[in-house]
Amino acid sequence: MTSREIVEPDAVLQALRVVQDPDLGRDIVSLDFVKELRIEGGQVSFEIELTTPACPVKEQMHDQAVSAVSALNGVTEVKVSMTSNVRAVASPDAGRAPIPGVKNIIAVGAGKGGVGKSTVAVNLALALSKYGGRVGMIDADVYGPNVPIMLGVRTQLETDGKKIVPAEKYGIPVVSMGFLTQDETPIIWRGPMLHGVVQQFFREVRWNELDYLVVDMPPGTGDVALSLSQTVPVSGAVVVTTPQVVSVADSRRAVAMYKKLNVPILGLVENMSHFVCPSCEHESDIFGKGGGELAAEDMGVPFLGRIPIYQPVREGGDTGNPIVMT
């Protein structure tokens, strides 16, 4: 190999500047994603450390990096490892101390009940886990704690002498009022008691190192949302709606509430968007069409996508076998 064919680290890094993170709008070099760069003769190896294991363009970035470095003179082989290091997004302040070991808290909320908020929360948590994230769940819908049913967990919470030990299913630790009451026992509490139990779920549970703590919120704009935003740093909120006019109207109020509480809106999900007949494949817009997407555009928040009315989604939630796992 001649001197002009020696592969220099600076040349590799310069070549990698063509690889962009589409969400952050910058190249992976300026973002400091390139780690452990090694050059042995014509063999080049490095890691691309993303901020989430759930990056949807991970394979595309891998292929772009291999192609860019392979084009350099003197390079005979390129090995790229895709890794992740989830970073905390929300900044703690004097009134909102972080939860030890928890990097990001994601609230999943809705302006009204019955839109499939818990279904979205459970499957979101499981999807993040399947991608490689370390995920936990809090069922903060104190009056209607459905997460235990949807995960298929029947247990009583215990303590280790200092903190509550969460239940676990599919590798996800979870706490819920459903573990503390009988199935038919109503929760008849005022605001201060709600605030207390929410604080217990955050502060008095043994959460081991988590990238994401997904919180299934109660519907509406009440006490639990206020307690959450005022006491812990929330990285962002996902709002669930149906296309129906009344649901969209309430979802606008939920988005406005999170904005007023300085909780970033990660996006809006339109659930029950349509129904496809399994016999004739005719598509029916039972709850209207496109209301969620139009509302997201109007409010200036990301539209995350549609979920149809689909029998396996309902069956998975009823039987404790969420569709993401089956």
Side-chain angles (χ1 to χ4, degrees), residues 298-312:
D298 185 54
M299 292 184 291
V301 301
F303 180 66
L304 301 180
R306 298 180 180 86
I307 302 172
I309 298 174
Y310 184 50
Q311 185 171 337

Side-chain angles (χ1 to χ4, degrees), residues 145-178:
N146 294 321
V147 169
I149 295 173
M150 293 186 169
L151 286 175
V153 183
R154 305 282 181 175
T155 188
Q156 295 291 316
L157 295 179
E158 300 178 352
T159 71
D160 60 6
K162 295 182 179 179
K163 290 195 172 186
I164 298 169
V165 179
E168 186 170 313
K169 187 67 177 290
Y170 302 115
I172 293 181
V174 58
V175 293
S176 170
M177 277 301 298

Side-chain angles (χ1 to χ4, degrees), residues 43-248:
Q43 297 179 330
V44 180
S45 64
F46 53 91
E47 294 180 1
I48 298 178
E49 184 183 83
L50 303 175
T51 56
T52 172
C55 177
V57 293
K58 179 164 56 178
E59 297 304 320
Q60 178 183 330
M61 295 172 73
H62 173 278
D63 294 344
Q64 288 177 343
V66 171
S67 177
V69 177
S70 296
L72 294 175
N73 289 334
V75 173
T76 58
E77 184 180 9
V78 180
K79 294 182 179 179
V80 182
S81 298
M82 304 300 291
T83 62
S84 64
N85 179 21
V86 177
R87 302 166 191 180
V89 175
S91 300
D93 54 40
R96 302 187 304 164
I99 308 302
V102 177
K103 292 183 178 179
N104 294 287
I105 297 170
I106 300 175
V108 179
K112 67 186 298 293
V115 299
K117 165 186 56 63
S118 296
T119 299
V120 172
V122 165
N123 283 284
L124 171 63
L126 291 170
L128 287 169
S129 179
K130 287 188 72 173
Y131 272 114
R134 297 169 297 180
V135 185
M137 280 201 76
I138 289 179
D139 185 359
D141 192 350
V142 176
Y143 294 128
N146 294 321
V147 169
I149 295 173
M150 293 186 169
L151 286 175
V153 183
R154 305 282 181 175
T155 188
Q156 295 291 316
L157 295 179
E158 300 178 352
T159 71
D160 60 6
K162 295 182 179 179
K163 290 195 172 186
I164 298 169
V165 179
E168 186 170 313
K169 187 67 177 290
Y170 302 115
I172 293 181
V174 58
V175 293
S176 170
M177 277 301 298
F179 300 142
L180 302 175
T181 62
Q182 299 297 319
D183 288 345
E184 297 180 1
T185 304
I187 306 297
I188 308 173
W189 287 353
R190 294 186 183 274
M193 296 181 72
L194 292 173
H195 178 81
V197 76
V198 169
Q199 286 304 299
Q200 276 192 305
F201 282 172
F202 280 109
R203 305 287 180 189
E204 297 180 25
V205 172
R206 191 187 67 196
W207 298 115
N208 295 324
E209 298 296 319
L210 296 178
D211 296 319
Y212 308 101
L213 181 55
V214 176
V215 184
D216 181 26
M217 301 289 290
T221 56
D223 291 315
V224 172
L226 190 61
S227 294
L228 178 75
S229 64
Q230 290 180 336
T231 56
V232 295
V234 183
S235 298
V238 174
V239 176
V240 183
T241 187
T242 67
Q244 191 175 8
V245 172
V246 293
S247 178
V248 170

